[in-house]
Amino acid sequence: MTPRRRWTMLCCALVAAMTTTCAVSGVAYLIPALHTQHGVSLSQASILATIPTIGLMLLIIPWGALLDRFGERRVLIISLLITLTGTCAAAIVSALGAPFWVLGAALFVGGLGAGAANGASGRIVVGWFPARQRGTAMGVRQMAQPLGIAVCALTMPLIAAHSGVTTALLVPVAVTAIGLLACIVGIVDPPAAPSSSSTGSTDSDNPYRAGGFLARVHGVSVLLVIPQSMMWTFVPTWLIVAHHWAPAAAGALVTATQIVGAVGRIVAGRVSDIWDSRMRPIRVVALAAAVSTAVLALTDWLHSPIAPVVMALATVASVADNGLAFTAIAEFAGPGWSGRGLAIQNTAQHLATAASTPVLGAVIGAAGFPIAFALTAITPLIAVPLVPRDAQRD
């Protein structure tokens, strides 16, 4: 495996992981159109945006177990075929004017298939890259989330405003089709290797019995995903509905912010390689997310013109930790358990997202955006002292 081939495969894994982001999070960028064009309340639209996440959570751990047993390529191809079926069905039923529950069912199917890509791409990084490069490589792979959000933010609100919700739903279809092709052409399963778990145990041993490291990483990640979910789901609505921005301008700002956030993940990963630590950078990120989100709440409450700038900073801070946690989990769990470990990580984060999104939508409807921003600033602050020390890795 040459370095060039390794990095090419990483790019294919990144595109595959983008399919999960677009299929699961893309509907959130239709909330303004659903609210203004179809008379759907913010709370109801938020529930519809949560449905793909529910589908993802139901099968993400079984997908992880399949990855541990059968490897990455075959499982990725099957899962992306299911996702493509669901996203195509969503566009079709929307074009036919079917009830929203039918649209929700199609989105649910797309979510069911979306659970393998994140874990598989993480396993590819740990399986093909040496430890001294994994933080940087995982940072590149973790660009999938902000880049996927950027694609959705740049295209879906604008398309929905000019051509309707149905046309906007073709964006996840296109991304999923490209990701499927990338997997077929570019992915090769990593070779079987001894476990990199710090316990020195065999792959069949459960790393969750080796102490509380994995559980604490999962818990910290859950706390840190709440402000991230707030930024991804409600910022377009905040800009368009609360601040009366044009959809194109709002999409451009969110896209630029997500691109900067993607670069921030690479920087965080590189810092973790240089520091030889995954956990110390997570503490820094958690503190930055808490402070920036609190400042956003204050500036929005004061109707300050710098609030959108602060929002961009808060968004960048809120997305920088994911690659660090993914790398640490995969390294500690080893190849025999990393699929399930990463699946549990994703399940916990998506469960937190699914639970918090309707609550935040209700808080916004009842008390406004500043209060919602202030509440989301609390969770990363709680996370700071809970970050564990680094576990030994290879």
Side-chain angles (χ1 to χ4, degrees):
M1 179 61 63
T2 64
R4 181 176 179 180
R5 181 73 178 87
R6 184 183 295 124
W7 285 96
T8 300
M9 192 184 312
L10 174 59
C11 292
C12 293
L14 183 152
V15 177
M18 283 180 63
T19 65
T20 296
T21 302
C22 292
V24 172
S25 302
V27 183
Y29 294 90
L30 299 180
I31 290 177
L34 292 169
H35 178 62
T36 58
Q37 297 177 17
H38 298 278
V40 179
S41 70
L42 290 178
S43 179
Q44 291 173 326
S46 299
I47 292 173
L48 185 64
T50 303
I51 288 175
T53 301
I54 296 173
L56 182 146
M57 288 188 300
L58 287 178
L59 288 188
I60 192 169
I61 292 178
W63 282 124
L66 291 173
L67 287 168
D68 288 335
R69 180 161 186 175
F70 297 107
E72 291 75 19
R73 188 173 184 273
R74 284 180 291 175
V75 175
L76 270 174
I77 291 172
I78 294 170
S79 68
L80 290 180
L81 282 171
I82 297 172
T83 302
L84 184 60
T85 299
T87 53
C88 287
I92 291 170
V93 300
S94 177
L96 295 175
F100 279 110
W101 71 266
V102 181
L103 175 60
L107 295 171
F108 179 75
V109 172
L112 289 174
N118 283 336
S121 56
R123 285 170 55 92
I124 288 168
V125 169
V126 174
W128 283 119
F129 284 84
R132 67 182 183 276
Q133 295 180 346
R134 285 178 190 159
T136 305
M138 192 70 83
V140 173
R141 174 260 171 265
Q142 289 296 108
M143 289 174 63
Q145 289 177 306
L147 288 180
I149 292 297
V151 169
C152 293
L154 183 64
T155 59
M156 295 183 74
L158 185 60
I159 293 172
H162 289 279
S163 302
V165 170
T166 297
T167 307
L169 286 170
L170 294 176
V171 173
V173 174
V175 174
T176 303
I178 294 170
L180 177 60
L181 180 62
C183 289
I184 293 172
V185 173
I187 297 298
V188 177
D189 289 346
S195 172
S196 61
S197 171
S198 65
T199 64
S201 61
T202 63
D203 289 350
S204 62
D205 292 334
N206 187 340
Y208 288 90
R209 297 175 180 172
F213 177 79
L214 290 179
R216 288 183 66 175
V217 173
H218 294 326
V220 167
S221 298
V222 164
L223 292 169
L224 294 180
V225 83
I226 292 176
Q228 182 181 126
S229 174
M230 176 69 182
M231 301 301 170
W232 283 359
T233 304
F234 292 106
V235 160
T237 305
W238 175 65
L239 291 170
I240 295 169
V241 176
H243 289 263
H244 310 292
W245 281 42
L253 177 60
V254 173
T255 299
T257 301
Q258 292 298 330
I259 291 173
V260 176
V263 175
R265 291 188 176 199
I266 299 176
V267 172
R270 183 58 183 160
V271 168
S272 76
D273 286 337
I274 294 173
W275 288 2
D276 194 32
S277 169
R278 311 301 183 204
M279 297 296 106
R280 286 168 55 201
I282 288 181
R283 292 190 190 95
V284 175
V285 168
L287 184 59
V291 172
S292 58
T293 307
V295 173
L296 174 59
L298 178 62
T299 54
D300 191 38
W301 179 62
L302 296 174
H303 304 287
S304 171
I306 68 169
V309 177
V310 178
M311 178 278 297
L313 296 174
T315 300
V316 171
S318 71
V319 303
D321 66 285
N322 285 17
L324 302 173
F326 247 56
T327 307
I329 290 167
E331 287 176 332
F332 187 87
W337 267 85
S338 60
R340 282 162 284 185
L342 295 175
I344 292 170
Q345 168 79 354
N346 276 323
T347 299
Q349 289 186 304
H350 286 297
L351 182 61
T353 299
S356 63
T357 296
V359 173
L360 291 171
V363 170
I364 292 168
F369 280 98
I371 297 299
F373 287 135
L375 290 175
T376 56
I378 296 174
T379 57
L381 188 62
I382 296 173
V384 173
L386 300 180
V387 178
R389 294 184 177 181
D390 285 280
Q392 182 182 354
R393 59 188 179 86
D394 64 351

